Amino acid sequence: MASSRVITVRSSGPDSGSDSVSGDTLRDGIAAIQKEMGVSAEFPAEVEEVAAAAAASPRLPEKDLTDLPFVTVDPESAMDLDQAMFLERSGDGYVVHYAIADLSAFITPGDAVDIEANRRGETLYGADSKVPLHPKAISEDAGSLLPDQVRPALVWRIQVDAQGEGADATVERALVRSRAKLSYDAVQADLDAGTADEMFTILREVGELRLEREAARGGVSLPLPEQEIADEDGTWRLEFRRMLPVESWNAQISLLTGFAAASLMVYARVGLLRTLPPPDPRDVKRLHRTARALKIDWPAELLYPDFIRSLDVSKANHAAMVVACTRLLRGSGYVGFNGELPDQAQHSALASEYAHVTAPLRRLVDRYALEICVALCAGDEVPDWVLARLPELPDTMRESGRRANQYENAILNLVEAAVLAPRLGESFAGVVVETDEKDDRRGEVTIEDPAIEAHVSGTAPLPVGEQVTVRLTTADVTTRKVEFTLE
């Protein structure tokens, strides 16, 4: 399935429509997937006990930054709130204050919560059946940056100049208090109406400047539409959605922090980086051939990041081109180092060194990278328990990433099969977005209504990027298999 898929449940209106399926029915299928994969949202009793005790008696920092008016901006249903932000002007530039949940207040190296987190690696997202990295006593309560609650945090202070470049960054432990839990939809609506708080005007300015900087250094983001599950009064349906502008600007603040963290670690020659090797020239050449097949002009002198930015996903052939371009973003991973920089330290899609440090409630590696950064800024030695894990963390995260992808895809396959099962034999309009490298008679088709991405086959080479009519030949809930045949 295409990489545009995401696992969220969004509450919607009362009209469930014809392409819906009972949430209770699907939860049984999700339970089967969890059993099949050996994962569970439940934690061993010892882990829950240790988490509850830590939540009741956290180790709190002395510094108090509760006077800063932080807010969180997340999907409306989120409770595991890793980040809170406060942006302000400073001369002709800006200051970004970014508070990240501080798990050192609750987790002791080697305790039951720590061991279990290292086993899990990251939170698995599956509709409303999330398999969390940490017990809810920490991840959705005492450690989450919930509104009107004093919380321990790792607070970044990043100077940004008038051109959007990060000029200086530090991170320290402090107490913070979020003023509000806001949703992307609400903030975007206020911005569109001209009624948003001044801070979100600054977020828009900084976000746009950072996007310009991304383009200038040769970075790239793929404008893939997301496939999500909408919950409508107990029934689920699939929809496609595009990222709101405020989500893109918010992501730029997270990226800015990741760049700052990577810079600190590279300079000190100790750390954990998120990496992506440069694209294989053969893959770029293959994409040039794909562009020609899709009748999209790609001048030889135009670098692929600039080419991707020129695509308009509202056009069928351009959407197919974006899906094809995901090939260049494969092979991401992590690398730990202490003393010598790794041979491959860059994230090629971001055109820079980069680190994951903004989601410690949901991703194990962030907690370790944050500990390195806060030690470096304080002039302290990096803790031994962090250094001891550096060699094995990349493998831990590679395995957890594989498991997360498997889990997410299995659940979306389940929902797709359940939604389509009553419609076997029907015809649908769609777009062929990709063909199999070994057999161009097989590939992937995107159906707009219902929002499905599935396998398709034909008796001749599939017309990539073209509108087609396909017939539903398989929709098996038990095997979670959906297939279409080209008519």
Side-chain angles (χ1 to χ4, degrees):
M1 296 294 181
S3 60
S4 58
R5 318 175 95 192
V6 294
I7 299 293
T8 59
V9 169
R10 178 179 56 78
S11 296
S12 191
D15 180 12
S16 61
S18 59
D19 295 312
S20 306
V21 64
S22 165
D24 290 337
T25 298
L26 291 172
R27 287 186 187 96
D28 291 340
I30 291 173
I33 291 168
Q34 291 181 353
K35 183 177 181 181
E36 177 185 308
M37 292 184 59
V39 300
S40 173
E42 304 300 320
F43 287 84
E46 180 189 6
V47 177
E48 290 283 8
E49 291 170 4
V50 171
S57 184
R59 295 180 290 268
L60 300 179
E62 293 183 4
K63 185 153 190 171
D64 189 332
L65 292 178
T66 55
D67 59 319
L68 294 180
F70 286 105
V71 297
T72 62
V73 186
D74 291 276
E76 190 169 359
S77 61
M79 293 297 291
D80 48 350
L81 309 182
D82 290 285
Q83 315 109 12
M85 73 172 75
F86 167 55
L87 282 63
E88 59 181 336
R89 301 186 188 280
S90 177
D92 60 354
Y94 312 87
V95 178
V96 172
H97 304 271
Y98 208 37
I100 309 299
D102 185 6
L103 289 176
S104 71
F106 309 98
I107 300 177
T108 300
D111 72 10
V113 177
D114 180 45
I115 292 170
E116 183 68 9
N118 274 274
R119 187 182 72 81
R120 296 190 176 210
E122 62 187 280
T123 295
L124 307 183
Y125 288 95
D128 64 350
S129 301
K130 181 171 63 178
V131 179
L133 176 61
H134 304 101
K136 288 185 178 181
I138 293 174
S139 63
E140 296 190 5
D141 190 359
S144 178
L145 303 183
L146 297 167
D148 301 317
Q149 303 294 322
V150 175
R151 292 289 187 256
L154 290 157
V155 182
W156 290 86
R157 187 178 188 277
I158 306 174
Q159 296 275 357
V160 178
D161 66 22
Q163 287 71 48
E165 288 290 357
D168 184 53
T170 59
V171 59
E172 61 182 341
R173 287 192 162 90
L175 296 174
V176 301
R177 184 177 67 247
S178 170
R179 300 298 195 267
K181 177 179 182 289
L182 305 175
S183 70
Y184 292 121
D185 287 338
V187 172
Q188 188 65 57
D190 286 346
L191 282 165
D192 293 344
T195 59
D197 185 271
E198 168 67 7
M199 193 197 80
F200 294 110
T201 301
I202 298 174
L203 174 62
R204 177 168 53 197
E205 291 176 17
V206 174
E208 294 289 356
L209 287 169
R210 293 298 302 169
L211 287 168
E212 291 175 9
R213 300 279 65 73
E214 179 178 273
R217 68 174 182 270
V220 62
S221 299
L222 290 178
L224 287 165
E226 294 180 341
Q227 187 182 20
E228 70 174 8
I229 301 168
D231 184 357
E232 300 171 330
D233 284 355
T235 61
W236 293 357
R237 60 182 286 117
L238 289 162
E239 297 178 354
F240 285 116
R241 66 177 291 272
R242 294 184 186 176
M243 182 182 289
L244 296 169
V246 70
E247 293 178 78
S248 177
W249 304 327
N250 188 61
Q252 286 299 318
I253 301 301
S254 182
L255 288 170
L256 172 69
T257 309
F259 294 143
S263 180
L264 285 171
M265 292 188 285
V266 167
Y267 181 80
R269 284 177 154 53
V270 57
L272 281 159
L273 299 178
R274 179 66 164 163
T275 61
L276 179 69
D280 189 319
R282 292 173 296 180
D283 286 336
V284 177
K285 289 181 179 179
R286 184 182 293 114
L287 287 176
H288 274 275
R289 292 196 295 270
T290 301
R292 286 197 297 272
L294 293 171
K295 298 179 174 59
I296 301 173
D297 183 37
W298 185 350
E301 67 276 9
L302 189 65
L303 297 177
Y304 83 87
D306 297 317
F307 170 69
I308 291 173
R309 267 185 288 275
S310 73
L311 298 174
D312 178 0
V313 293
S314 66
K315 300 176 181 178
N317 60 334
H318 284 220
M321 190 70 230
V322 169
V323 172
C325 287
T326 60
R327 175 185 304 278
L328 300 183
L329 304 184
R330 296 171 187 171
S332 59
Y334 295 91
V335 61
F337 58 99
N338 184 13
E340 292 295 331
L341 292 179
D343 292 336
Q344 166 50 34
Q346 284 222 339
H347 192 292
S348 65
L350 299 174
S352 176
E353 288 93 4
Y354 176 65
H356 274 158
V357 291
T358 61
L361 294 176
R362 295 169 283 168
R363 198 169 47 211
L364 175 69
V365 69
D366 298 47
R367 172 159 62 101
Y368 288 85
L370 281 163
E371 289 294 336
I372 294 171
C373 290
V374 76
L376 294 177
C377 286
D380 296 334
E381 295 293 325
V382 176
D384 289 340
W385 63 268
V386 174
L387 296 177
R389 289 282 187 183
L390 286 183
E392 61 193 69
L393 272 170
D395 289 339
T396 297
M397 297 309 299
R398 180 169 56 250
E399 173 59 22
S400 71
R402 182 202 62 78
R403 187 165 56 244
N405 288 334
Q406 180 184 354
Y407 186 69
E408 293 168 2
N409 282 332
I411 290 175
L412 268 174
N413 291 343
L414 168 71
V415 178
E416 289 179 342
V419 165
L420 288 173
R423 303 184 65 176
L424 271 176
E426 289 188 28
S427 296
F428 299 81
V431 176
V432 177
V433 296
E434 194 172 31
T435 56
D436 189 288
E437 291 182 13
K438 297 180 180 179
D439 185 354
D440 59 8
R441 295 169 300 174
R442 297 187 60 81
E444 300 287 324
V445 64
T446 294
I447 308 296
E448 282 296 327
D449 187 18
I452 300 294
E453 298 174 345
H455 296 299
V456 62
S457 61
T459 57
L462 297 175
V464 178
E466 293 186 16
Q467 293 279 352
V468 295
T469 301
V470 294
R471 181 169 53 87
L472 178 63
T473 52
T474 303
D476 191 317
V477 175
T478 302
T479 62
R480 306 185 291 273
K481 186 175 182 181
V482 171
E483 287 193 345
F484 291 87
T485 300
L486 188 67
E487 291 192 341

